[in-house]
Amino acid sequence: MARFATFRFCLDPTGEQEIMLRRHAGAARFGFNQCLRLVKDAVDGMRRGETVGKVPWSGFDLINAFNRWKRSGEAGRVMVAAGDGTVTVQVTGLSWRGEVCQQVFEEAVVDLGRGLSAYTASRTGGRRGRRVGFPRFKSKRHAPLSFRIRNRTSATGRASIRVGEQAPRTVTLPGIGVLKVRQDTRRLRRMLAKGRAKVVSATVSHRAGRWSVSLTCEAADLHDARRHQPMTSAGWVGVDRGLSTFVAAARADGTPVLRVDGWPRPARTEMARQRRLARDVTRKQRGSRNRAKAAARLGRHHAHTAAVRHRFLHQVCNRLVNTHDRLAIETLTISGMLANRRLAAAVADAAWGELARLLTYKQQWRGGQLALVDRWYPSTKTCSACRTVGPAMPLHQRMFTCQTCGYQADRDHNAAVNLAIWAEQHHAQVRDLPAGGPVTNTRRGEGTGPRTRAGETSPDDAGTAPTPPGVRRGRPRRALSHHSTKW
């Protein structure tokens, strides 16, 4: 088992099964909110100077805290009156906890632990990107319905999550039963029967009026016939992303590979219908059933737009990955482009970031290579024939003309050729897909000494040299305990 794959199926539940699904989703929301309440109460008590012990922060500690709470009197108790008139308090705990699968509570609590860890790492500098805030309570009205169940195997070898047990298009979940699905499960059933896949967990969610189940599987590598073979003569293929031409791919010698001009533009195409549906929502009275129905219609429209975009991105990525083992794309600053009010809608509709993500894992599955070109590389205004860097080109200028050699070509094709040339010149900095970072020639030897070859990193440069006694390397990091966290 070397990779993770997700199979998503649309569910077709009965009325009783939909009640069970909503009950499990509500239990997941309840477990998340209750554990968050326990964390906040412990922190508030610590601020007031009370003795609260250890604040539950990790997923393991939160699970233990929730298990203690659900059996205590705070979760539930009843007053029992005897025949002699005496009244006693009987602790029942969370009385309805047996009506749902217990894994729903555990997985929701684990998600809260991840949120708390991300919050701590963001405040201490251990997490890059935008600052992560403290977790908030999930609303019963606005939070999406979703829960997750792990796959467990009994002593007899029977899995709790089964596919195609009673009928080909069915999925069996613990605590819920056999659910019908609308898609064909043949591919997954064959992989499970041959031992090439193992179901890890199942995530059930409700989006745009539909229930769906996502089965996360630990699958084996693709067959050798589906993986890329070493092709040293073909060379690199540069992939240029744009708005007029969605994708232009070409080799370093100028050979065109792929060009996608008429992309669907789902958001712009359906904008008139979206505005009409949005007006219908605003014209309805708040809190009324008609407003809820109008909002549901608008949600289904957004889901349809996203599905059209996602299907198109998969088609383009498959055409590139299935035929080429070495691709080069440029790292675009998409968040900066979205700040341009003239191009923000078109850039968001193109979903360039999602395209790069799909290319990354699809190339990894097939054993290919993906080069990330520096975003400051002037691929558009550089002549692919004489390598002369010209002035900046406005967006309306679709033809590139070199002022030095007179070379003329489509600007997207010229940029794709330059990306392929950059990848051939910097093939040592190709991204290592399994490791998630660039390949570096770092020497990990013991002790200090001169470099053995030109261009090789010494232990001093890499930071692997032994530290002299009494000397501290790097910036000291302030320890942050769970009790000293402030927000």
Side-chain angles (χ1 to χ4, degrees), residues 154-375:
S154 62
T156 59
R158 184 180 179 87
S160 60
I161 300 177
R162 300 178 294 275
V163 181
E165 183 182 27
Q166 296 184 2
R169 298 192 177 189
T170 58
V171 174
T172 305
L173 298 179
I176 299 175
V178 181
L179 296 169
K180 291 184 179 180
V181 298
R182 299 183 180 181
Q183 290 82 10
D184 190 8
T185 61
R186 181 183 304 175
R187 182 180 179 185
L188 178 57
R189 286 188 284 111
R190 287 180 177 179
M191 295 178 64
L192 294 174
K194 295 180 180 180
R196 293 184 56 84
K198 180 179 64 175
V199 178
V200 178
S201 64
T203 303
V204 181
S205 58
H206 184 266
R207 297 289 188 279
R210 292 184 179 182
W211 288 94
S212 62
V213 57
S214 299
L215 301 178
T216 302
C217 303
E218 187 178 358
D221 285 334
L222 295 178
H223 193 271
D224 293 339
R226 302 289 300 275
R227 293 174 62 87
H228 290 299
Q229 303 298 327
M231 295 184 298
T232 57
S233 59
W236 288 87
V237 174
V239 180
D240 180 70
R241 294 166 287 179
L243 298 178
S244 178
T245 300
F246 185 76
V247 164
R251 301 188 186 276
D253 57 358
T255 304
V257 171
L258 176 65
R259 187 179 182 89
V260 180
D261 289 319
W263 57 293
R265 301 177 187 268
R268 191 178 72 173
T269 304
E270 301 292 338
M271 183 55 65
R273 177 177 174 82
Q274 177 181 337
R275 290 175 178 173
R276 180 174 60 83
L277 294 176
R279 286 196 300 266
D280 291 342
V281 175
T282 58
R283 290 171 180 174
K284 302 296 188 297
Q285 184 178 359
R286 290 183 178 272
S288 63
R289 292 187 177 182
N290 288 333
R291 186 182 179 93
K293 294 178 181 178
R297 288 192 295 268
L298 180 60
R300 288 194 295 269
H301 170 76
H302 283 297
H304 172 73
T305 302
V308 172
R309 181 185 298 110
H310 202 244
R311 179 180 177 85
F312 171 73
L313 293 177
H314 274 286
Q315 292 176 349
V316 173
C317 291
N318 290 337
R319 293 177 62 181
L320 290 170
V321 173
N322 294 346
T323 55
H324 307 289
D325 64 333
R326 288 182 288 181
L327 301 175
I329 60 175
E330 55 184 342
T331 55
L332 302 176
T333 312
I334 301 178
S335 59
M337 296 180 181
L338 293 177
N340 188 343
R341 62 182 182 88
R342 298 180 181 272
L343 299 177
V347 171
D349 197 9
W352 290 334
E354 181 67 11
L355 178 66
R357 188 188 69 86
L358 296 178
L359 285 176
T360 300
Y361 83 80
K362 288 178 183 289
Q363 278 288 74
Q364 179 181 350
W365 283 3
R366 294 186 176 272
Q369 296 180 353
L370 183 68
L372 299 179
V373 183
D374 183 15
R375 64 176 181 175

Side-chain angles (χ1 to χ4, degrees), residues 96-118:
W96 54 268
R97 66 179 184 270
E99 300 178 5
V100 296
C101 183
Q102 298 302 307
Q103 298 181 24
V104 173
F105 296 109
E106 297 178 2
E107 293 300 315
V109 171
V110 168
D111 292 340
L112 175 60
R114 293 175 181 172
L116 293 173
S117 300

